[in-house]
Amino acid sequence: MHSFPYHNIVILLKQVHLDYLEAGANILITASYQATIQGFESRGFSREESETFLRRSVEIAVEARDEFLEKCSKASADANQEKTNFKNRPILIAASIGSYGAYLADGSEYSGDYGEEVTLDVLKEFHKRRLQVISEAGPDIIAFETIPNKIETQAYVELLEECNIKIPAWFSFNSKDGINVVSGDSLIDCASIADSCVNTVALGINCTPPRFIHDLILSICKVTDKPILIYPNSGESYDAHKKEWVASSGVSEEDFVSYVSKWHEAGASLIGGCCRTTPNTIRAISKVLQGA
């Protein structure tokens, strides 16, 4: 391996996963959203090293789950257990696969504009080995996240079939107008393509301002009877040039959580947070849903 603080990164990643579990999370999403073989190789890592990093993203999440469940077992005799989140519960590991735009790191996952040269075949070739490696690492589910357009949705669906992937998957889109996905493609069309895939067990929206979520849930409900998941961002905007989030119409943690009951009533059964949300957000969401 190249000389960089790999061990420290593993410790930090595991602690982040544990923080979310202790806040009440039922699903851990692996730290692989922007991790690609092509990206690692461009930084001088070998193909073998790159694939190892992808596998480890899943393994670290699994290790965090095991450690948390061990804490739960030790806490089971504690009379105050009901006052904590150290309670045995189903915890799934979702292996994150970010869009082609996330690899480009130019903000195009928020526009869906990859250019005419990026065809369906180009996208399939880009994602194929990454999908295979992550699937073989043993996650409970594949999370296709921040999908910005119809062509990438189709690429994922075809790859799942062609690679004979047996693991269930969820498809999560992003929107900037509350109607379509960010490319301008119809959300209903994209969701219909994803819904047709035999691997699909949930459909939804992520990394989208909270104010758009309610209407997007209603749109997805028109084309599927599968569970709907939503995990919005804070409502802030990503500046691709500065590579940072900037204040715009962001909402406070309290305002974010105030939407949760409405989203649940509209049809969302899996609710969480994306960029610029924290374990405190998950803790508050968990509290609301437990009282629903």
Side-chain angles (χ1 to χ4, degrees):
M1 294 285 180
H2 289 226
S3 178
F4 76 113
Y6 177 77
H7 181 67
N8 291 343
I9 291 172
V10 170
I11 292 173
L12 288 171
L13 284 177
K14 187 181 294 186
Q15 186 57 55
V16 170
H17 287 316
L18 287 169
D19 288 345
Y20 277 93
L21 289 175
E22 291 171 13
N26 296 92
I27 300 175
L28 290 180
I29 300 179
T30 61
S32 54
Y33 171 77
Q34 210 166 9
T36 65
I37 294 170
Q38 297 89 337
F40 287 130
E41 288 182 333
S42 72
R43 301 301 295 268
F45 294 99
S46 68
R47 172 59 65 97
E48 182 180 0
E49 288 172 325
S50 301
E51 293 188 1
T52 296
F53 291 150
L54 290 175
R55 292 188 192 93
R56 284 297 289 147
S57 71
V58 176
E59 293 166 357
I60 291 166
V62 170
E63 290 165 9
R65 176 177 62 184
D66 292 345
E67 185 174 324
F68 178 78
L69 291 176
E70 184 177 351
K71 289 182 180 179
C72 290
S73 296
K74 291 180 179 179
S76 62
D78 188 340
N80 295 318
Q81 183 196 10
E82 292 302 316
K83 298 179 181 179
T84 75
N85 276 316
F86 286 109
K87 292 176 282 189
N88 275 302
R89 60 182 188 269
I91 297 170
L92 300 178
I93 306 300
S96 173
I97 291 185
S99 67
Y100 181 73
Y103 155 71
L104 296 177
D106 60 359
S108 57
E109 75 259 50
Y110 300 110
S111 71
D113 183 8
Y114 297 159
E116 293 182 0
E117 69 279 4
V118 180
T119 63
L120 179 66
D121 287 339
V122 168
L123 288 172
K124 287 169 65 175
E125 182 61 28
F126 172 80
H127 286 297
K128 182 177 181 179
R129 183 56 186 157
R130 177 193 191 191
L131 174 60
Q132 291 172 326
V133 171
I134 278 185
S135 298
E136 292 165 1
D140 299 301
I141 191 167
I142 301 295
F144 295 111
E145 301 189 281
T146 325
I147 307 170
N149 52 39
K150 183 160 47 173
I151 190 173
E152 199 150 25
T153 309
Q154 187 66 44
Y156 291 144
V157 168
E158 292 186 13
L159 279 175
L160 286 168
E161 180 178 356
E162 292 169 10
C163 296
N164 197 30
I165 303 297
K166 301 300 184 183
I167 299 172
W170 84 48
F171 286 71
S172 185
F173 306 93
N174 60 339
S175 174
K176 57 187 177 185
D177 62 6
I179 301 171
N180 301 306
V181 297
V182 292
S183 65
D185 290 340
S186 163
L187 171 62
I188 289 178
D189 287 350
C190 292
S192 296
I193 292 169
D195 187 62
S196 70
C197 178
V198 296
N199 297 70
T200 303
V201 294
L203 300 169
I205 301 292
N206 76 289
C207 216
T208 294
R211 66 185 183 277
F212 294 140
I213 296 299
H214 183 271
D215 288 346
L216 294 168
I217 293 170
L218 297 180
S219 292
I220 296 174
C221 282
K222 295 176 182 177
V223 297
T224 188
D225 57 4
K226 295 182 174 71
I228 293 176
L229 74 156
I230 58 101
Y231 46 118
N233 58 35
S234 66
E236 295 168 88
S237 299
Y238 184 73
D239 188 318
H241 297 292
K242 295 181 179 179
K243 296 190 182 301
E244 63 183 29
W245 289 87
V246 295
S248 55
S249 56
V251 298
S252 68
E253 208 156 71
E254 293 78 11
D255 290 337
F256 183 102
V257 173
S258 72
Y259 288 105
V260 171
S261 294
K262 296 176 183 177
W263 294 335
H264 183 61
E265 291 168 4
S269 53
L270 299 165
I271 300 175
C274 199
C275 295
R276 308 292 283 177
T277 63
T278 70
N280 285 335
T281 312
I282 299 304
R283 185 174 288 107
I285 291 172
S286 179
K287 185 176 180 180
V288 171
L289 293 178
Q290 286 175 10

